[in-house]
Amino acid sequence: MNKRARILRNENNRFEEKLSKETNDVLTDIVVYIRSTSISEYDQERVRRDIDEMLFEGERRGMSAAEIIGDDYKAFCDAVMCEVPKLSKAQRVMTAVQEVLAGVIVLLAIWTVFSPIIQLIKKEPWYLLPLRLSDLITATVIVAAAVLVVVYITKNVFTPKPAALIAGFVLAAAIGIAGILFCSDIMLMNIHIAVDIALLAVLALVYLLIGKRLE
């Protein structure tokens, strides 16, 4: 998230403390849905601020959220989003890449910390990190599942379909377990920890550069 969006998000968080719990519950769903739209993070926060102020003024007049913006919150959000400039195709691609990179960086960092410990326990060189096919399969499943869950929740916050979400979890778990059971003995390579740390640094730099381009 760029600096402008982060500052405005913090301001919005503080502003929403003025709203009632009931209004904040509705607003939470609205904000989640806004996150699924193809607009910049800064524009998301600008829309959020406008809605905050609308709900605040309505509350001062004794009105509920439904009385202020209507019963169909999704339709309200869609109408508002139509007035906001959309991200270009290139920006949408960069946003998707950045989201995937975030998951990869977290998993790689965890692997970098715990693999040397496991190697020491096995009394093997701690600086050589074994990469197995099962590791790649598991990491891919985790990142893909995390991204898809976020997309699913944000797009369906007003019309939840728990059966579809559970089915997705079961499928992801099945693929991950199959990878561990059948591919754990397939060694791809040993990676020196220095190379691993360098790769982590490069990915973090790419993540930051994409964030700069999206400002």
Side-chain angles (χ1 to χ4, degrees):
M1 175 177 291
N2 62 60
K3 185 177 180 180
R4 288 195 311 162
R6 184 165 53 250
I7 291 172
L8 187 52
R9 175 174 290 187
N10 291 336
E11 291 176 356
N12 288 340
N13 289 339
R14 290 192 295 269
F15 185 88
E16 287 164 9
E17 293 175 1
K18 305 175 184 178
L19 301 173
S20 68
K21 181 183 181 304
E22 292 75 15
T23 299
N24 262 308
D25 288 343
V26 173
L27 186 59
T28 296
D29 288 343
I30 289 174
V31 171
V32 169
Y33 185 71
I34 290 174
R35 301 293 182 224
S36 72
T37 59
S38 298
I39 63 176
S40 70
E41 291 180 327
Y42 181 69
D43 283 337
Q44 289 177 15
E45 294 304 323
R46 287 179 56 200
V47 170
R48 179 182 173 190
R49 169 51 65 91
D50 290 342
I51 297 174
D52 284 350
E53 293 176 347
M54 186 186 306
L55 292 172
F56 179 71
E57 289 302 320
E59 278 197 348
R60 290 178 59 185
R61 298 193 297 270
M63 301 170 67
S64 66
E67 290 172 323
I68 299 166
I69 61 178
D71 293 323
D72 192 338
Y73 302 132
K74 182 178 182 298
F76 167 77
C77 291
D78 290 339
V80 172
M81 292 302 107
C82 287
E83 306 300 322
V84 183
K86 300 296 186 294
L87 294 173
S88 66
K89 184 176 181 180
Q91 289 172 320
R92 291 198 299 271
V93 170
M94 285 192 291
T95 299
V97 170
Q98 191 180 42
E99 290 173 354
V100 172
L101 271 178
V104 171
I105 289 169
V106 169
L107 289 180
L108 185 58
I110 293 172
W111 187 68
T112 302
V113 171
F114 286 100
S115 282
I117 297 174
I118 295 173
Q119 290 295 87
L120 286 172
I121 293 174
K122 292 181 177 179
K123 300 186 183 303
E124 296 179 1
W126 64 270
Y127 51 85
L128 293 178
L129 312 183
L131 179 63
R132 298 176 175 82
L133 181 58
S134 59
D135 297 327
L136 286 182
I137 293 174
T138 303
T140 301
V141 169
I142 291 173
V143 172
V147 171
L148 291 175
V149 165
V150 170
V151 171
Y152 173 86
I153 290 175
T154 55
K155 286 188 175 296
N156 296 281
V157 63
F158 297 121
T159 54
K161 301 173 183 176
L165 190 59
I166 293 172
F169 271 121
V170 171
L171 177 60
I175 295 174
I177 293 172
I180 294 172
L181 291 177
F182 299 107
C183 303
S184 59
D185 294 331
I186 301 177
M187 175 68 76
L188 298 178
M189 65 181 76
N190 284 313
I191 301 177
H192 196 286
I193 192 169
V195 175
D196 182 57
I197 292 174
L199 176 60
L200 191 57
V202 169
L203 293 178
L205 179 60
V206 172
Y207 178 88
L208 293 174
L209 289 175
I210 292 176
K212 287 289 186 183
R213 290 291 301 272
L214 291 172
E215 287 185 0

